[in-house]
Amino acid sequence: MSTVHETAALLPGPAELRAHLRALAILDATIGDDPRFCCYTFDTAWGPGVEAALMKNGAGDDFSVLFTPAGVLIRGFDHESEMSPYETDDEQVWPGVIDDVPAALRPLLDEPAFRDEGIDAPRVTACLWRETGDTTWRTGSAIAFPSGNEEPDGSGFLFHLLADRSPEAVQEHFEGYYERPVPLDAIRHVLAGHPLTPAIAGALNPAALSDDALLRRIAAHSEAASYLACDGEFDLARTDPIESIALPNGLPVEPVAGCNAGGTHYLCGPAFPGGPRPVLYTDSEGRASLIAESLAEALTLAIVLPSWHDALGGLPPPGSQLRLPPGPPGPPRGPQPSPHRPGTPRGH
């Protein structure tokens, strides 16, 4: 029989568990083509001082791992379990599952996200916890599990990738879920806590860095969208440029984001499935610069060097022949660097 008691003995400490759950969320978001279908997510701002790792498999099963200053609470729900509140006569949590949860962590079970309308009980069939300073994971000490079921509380499959954290187990899960091969070396890279480089992202999902995929991911993650809009000056809500532009030979331009100063980022040229398009930036005075060979490169620039606007010369790159409407001359900006050709190293 596999229950929370066996799971508790297989879990790592809170720091390692948190790192592993973050890696699972990164892998899921990268391997998947649509954020709406990701099983694993990680919310660093679930509540004041609370981080949440969440899993929803789309079939009615889910779990949450809440990291707080007081400790960590793990709540799992198997919708087919006999121990589900929906299966009990009084629609309450199975006796013993949460009875021993310490007072410092007990309020976490009252989160509205873990309760369904019409039932006065948290959605839980398995529960584990570990208070800050404790050395082991705890579970209910007096749970009378129903007989005749090898996984009565669902913990065996709910927490499979938390108990078996091997790259091979993770690979098997994602290949089964997304029904396509996923390279083991790339999974090892992410599970080891290394940065998600463009090469690794491309190996996990060749379409991960496409323009459409990147824009979908930004729009689906409010925290990322807010950071880019403020610190990165790349606001997806600002797609109405002050000045219109035209490229040579009538090549199309697509405004995708704006900045607080009235500038606009454009994707240039025809869109090919999975193919990158150069990114052009125009300021509010009608001046333009080609800043990147792809949207992925432009986003990297916005994140790593948020003050990059100050380095622009305000002139089209040599040979670009951009046709821009005339505008009033802008104020002097001090010494102007030579135009930068995307793809070549910058000075720091």
Side-chain angles (χ1 to χ4, degrees):
M1 180 181 292
S2 176
T3 68
V4 285
H5 297 323
E6 286 71 34
T7 299
L10 297 172
L11 293 180
E16 183 180 344
L17 180 63
R18 178 182 179 277
H20 182 69
L21 285 162
R22 284 178 63 92
L24 291 178
I26 291 170
L27 286 167
D28 210 345
T30 307
I31 296 170
D33 293 320
D34 192 327
R36 294 175 301 173
F37 301 117
C38 288
C39 290
Y40 291 89
T41 58
F42 197 100
D43 189 342
T44 59
W46 173 265
V50 180
E51 294 182 322
L54 307 172
M55 190 286 294
K56 293 183 178 180
N57 65 6
D61 311 305
D62 67 275
F63 75 64
S64 60
V65 184
L66 303 181
F67 297 88
T68 79
V72 183
L73 180 79
I74 302 176
R75 176 207 57 87
F77 177 71
D78 172 8
H79 81 286
E80 293 185 349
S81 170
E82 297 175 62
M83 298 171 61
S84 165
Y86 294 99
E87 298 295 329
T88 61
D89 293 336
D90 56 358
E91 292 190 332
Q92 293 298 307
V93 176
W94 190 270
V97 172
I98 62 174
D99 296 353
D100 298 336
V101 174
L105 300 175
R106 185 62 179 259
L108 297 173
L109 292 169
D110 296 328
E111 286 281 349
F114 307 146
R115 290 175 176 262
D116 293 330
E117 187 176 354
I119 185 169
D120 186 27
R123 194 172 61 252
V124 57
T125 58
C127 189
L128 305 93
W129 58 90
R130 184 160 167 169
E131 291 186 274
T132 300
D134 204 347
T135 57
T136 58
W137 290 96
R138 310 289 182 180
T139 66
S141 59
I143 306 174
F145 295 102
S147 60
N149 190 330
E150 289 300 311
E151 293 190 9
D153 60 4
S155 59
F157 83 90
L158 285 171
F159 307 128
H160 169 61
L161 292 186
L162 308 189
D164 183 356
R165 299 174 299 283
S166 67
E168 291 78 12
V170 174
Q171 179 192 44
E172 181 180 6
H173 164 78
F174 284 116
E175 287 189 340
Y177 185 75
Y178 287 108
E179 299 183 336
R180 58 181 172 82
V182 181
L184 186 59
D185 286 345
I187 287 178
R188 285 196 179 105
H189 178 96
V190 176
L191 290 179
H194 300 311
L196 183 67
T197 64
I200 294 297
L204 291 169
N205 182 356
L209 298 181
S210 70
D211 298 337
D212 289 341
L214 286 171
L215 291 172
R216 279 200 307 268
R217 283 181 167 84
I218 296 170
H221 293 83
S222 58
E223 186 178 356
S226 177
Y227 173 82
L228 284 170
C230 297
D231 294 348
E233 295 283 352
F234 191 91
D235 189 350
L236 295 184
R238 296 174 181 265
T239 55
D240 186 16
I242 294 177
E243 300 281 0
S244 61
I245 67 170
L247 291 182
N249 303 322
L251 291 174
V253 290
E254 178 187 353
V256 292
C259 73
N260 295 333
T264 304
H265 298 82
Y266 296 87
L267 294 175
C268 305
F272 297 99
R277 285 183 284 173
V279 179
L280 177 76
Y281 174 78
T282 63
D283 65 19
S284 60
E285 297 167 349
R287 296 175 297 190
S289 291
L290 191 65
I291 64 169
E293 293 181 339
S294 67
L295 180 59
E297 187 178 282
L299 290 170
T300 302
L301 179 64
I303 293 169
V304 175
L305 190 64
S307 59
W308 63 268
H309 296 84
D310 298 333
L312 295 179
L315 297 172
S320 66
Q321 299 179 355
L322 289 171
R323 299 194 301 273
L324 300 173
R333 295 192 174 210
Q336 301 294 329
S338 59
H340 169 68
R341 180 173 62 84
T344 59
R346 290 179 182 267
H348 295 281

